[in-house]
Amino acid sequence: MNSLASDTAMVMAAGMGKRMRPLTASQPKPLVRVAEKPLIDHALDKLATAGIGKVVVNVHYLADALEAHLRERKLPAVIISDEREMLLETGGGMVKAQADLPDPFFCLNADNIWLDGPRDAFHDLSGCWDPDTMDALLLLVPHARALNFRGKGDFHMDPLGRISRRRAGRIAPFIYTGIQLVSHRLLRDAPEGKFSTNILWERAIEEGRLFGAGFTGQWFEVGTPQSIAPTEEALQRG
């Protein structure tokens, strides 16, 4: 197995969890339980198993509850990026936490659940990483391995791995899993305050520096309360 490209990840956990209501009326989405485990622990356990020793977790909505939960963890070691005063979205969240993040770093959503294939997700990304040509490398899954996903897909990918947005009126063959490997170069000259990573991705696409890596496992869309039961059934089957 190839070595990891980074020993650090950022876990995006600051969102309001509106699509998961009413379960998020009194708890942050990362603490919603799936298969008897909070969503964020599914992600943190995968990071620990892969050998990633440090995570930066951003917090905003019901931050006290999330911080109290994270204090119970031994591995990975958790650093809090506090966004209580202002929710910075994905791009702004990375920029705020950049001083605690090496170059490159993994970044993933706190509500991600997946089953690894022959290699884990982070080694899949590390095996494809080329810092000379890439600003970011997104882990992508085809529709057939994306449980609960009902959309039209996110990206097209050329034979070299360069990716582009879904074209109007088309089905895109690849779905973004919410997991990526990010170079500090992606964050250069970033806007101030809150903004989406999409702004930085668009620049990288124009420069031919946004790439994708095919995921060898199965990924689950867990965005609504209705998606929890089928996800739990699939996890039981393994």
Side-chain angles (χ1 to χ4, degrees):
M1 184 178 283
N2 60 286
S3 60
L4 288 165
S6 180
D7 65 354
T8 302
M10 180 166 188
V11 177
M12 295 289 181
M16 302 294 289
K18 293 178 180 179
R19 291 176 61 222
M20 195 59 92
R21 287 176 179 167
L23 299 179
T24 50
S26 59
Q27 64 182 334
K29 184 179 179 183
L31 295 186
V32 171
R33 299 179 82 85
V34 177
E36 302 182 353
K37 183 190 294 189
L39 279 166
I40 194 167
D41 285 347
H42 285 274
L44 293 174
D45 288 350
K46 292 281 192 183
L47 287 161
T49 298
I52 293 167
K54 184 178 85 171
V55 296
V56 177
V57 180
N58 65 341
V59 298
H60 172 76
Y61 177 61
L62 299 176
D64 290 352
L66 187 52
E67 281 200 64
H69 176 76
L70 292 170
R71 278 196 291 270
E72 300 297 315
R73 288 199 65 98
K74 299 291 191 292
L75 289 172
V78 176
I79 296 171
I80 298 295
S81 182
D82 193 335
E83 296 181 20
R84 282 175 173 83
E85 291 186 7
M86 179 189 290
L87 180 60
L88 293 171
E89 300 186 26
T90 52
M94 282 195 286
V95 170
K96 177 179 171 60
Q98 187 173 357
D100 289 316
L101 298 167
D103 187 6
F105 61 94
F106 295 103
C107 185
L108 62 155
N109 298 331
D111 58 355
N112 268 3
I113 294 183
W114 69 93
L115 291 171
D116 286 314
R119 296 192 300 185
D120 66 69
F122 308 104
H123 283 91
D124 272 346
L125 284 171
S126 298
C128 299
W129 179 246
D130 180 357
D132 294 331
T133 61
M134 300 174 181
D135 283 0
L137 177 64
L138 280 54
L139 193 68
L140 305 178
V141 63
H143 289 259
R145 294 208 295 276
L147 190 77
N148 303 328
F149 185 79
R150 301 289 179 265
K152 295 182 178 180
D154 302 311
F155 292 102
H156 302 272
M157 185 160 52
D158 75 12
L160 296 178
R162 281 189 300 257
I163 58 177
S164 56
R165 296 282 188 183
R166 180 176 63 83
R167 301 175 191 112
R170 297 277 299 278
I171 299 291
F174 294 102
I175 299 143
Y176 174 50
T177 61
I179 306 171
Q180 60 178 320
L181 185 51
V182 181
S183 166
H184 281 204
R185 189 178 188 278
L186 183 77
L187 307 181
R188 74 191 191 280
D189 305 322
E192 292 186 10
K194 62 180 181 179
F195 70 95
S196 169
T197 310
N198 284 311
I199 293 172
L200 306 178
W201 283 352
E202 289 302 324
R203 179 179 64 186
I205 288 172
E206 291 173 9
E207 296 176 349
R209 294 184 63 87
L210 192 68
F211 284 74
F215 183 40
T216 56
Q218 187 173 25
W219 174 80
F220 303 93
E221 169 74 86
V222 193
T224 64
Q226 294 74 29
S227 64
I228 292 176
T231 300
E232 289 177 332
E233 291 169 12
L235 289 172
Q236 274 192 330
R237 293 193 303 268

